[in-house]
């Protein structure tokens, strides 16, 4: 079992994003995030699932070259959505 608050493994990410692989589905999830924000229960559940049940607090480090730090997970998630880089990990 993974430590709560840690990101998913590569295999877990593939499983997590399997249903979102179709661009329309991924953009729908991003639209929910944009409309309702990170405090929306559905958006929070997705964020919690992506991070083994705990949404990380504080600065977030990512695999993005040139943009390695975000102030929080919400900002990181919005960045992925606006750039359409849905599968970037923290």
């Amino acid at each position: 079992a993974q430590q709560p608050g840690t990101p998913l493994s590569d295999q877990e990410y593939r499983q997590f994003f399997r249903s979102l692989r179709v661009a329309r589905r991924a953009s729908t999830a991003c639209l929910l995030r944009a409309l309702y924000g990170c405090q929306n229960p559905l958006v929070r559940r997705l964020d919690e699932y992506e991070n083994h049940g705990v949404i990380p607090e504080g600065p977030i480090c990512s695999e993005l070259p040139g943009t390695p730090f975000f102030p929080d997970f919400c900002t990181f998630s919005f960045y992925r959505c606006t750039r359409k880089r849905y599968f970037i990990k923290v």
Side-chain angles (χ1 to χ4, degrees), residues 61-70 79 85 88-89:
C61 297
S62 77
E63 294 180 345
L64 291 166
T67 314
F69 298 104
F70 295 88
Y79 180 87
R85 305 212 36 211
I88 298 296
K89 289 176 56 174

Side-chain angles (χ1 to χ4, degrees), residues 32-54:
L32 284 174
R33 184 177 295 282
L35 289 174
Y36 301 110
C38 294
Q39 299 308 312
N40 177 273
L42 176 59
V43 173
R44 286 189 64 79
R45 274 198 309 266
L46 286 171
D47 290 350
E48 287 170 350
Y49 182 81
E50 184 178 353
N51 293 284
H52 293 103
V54 177

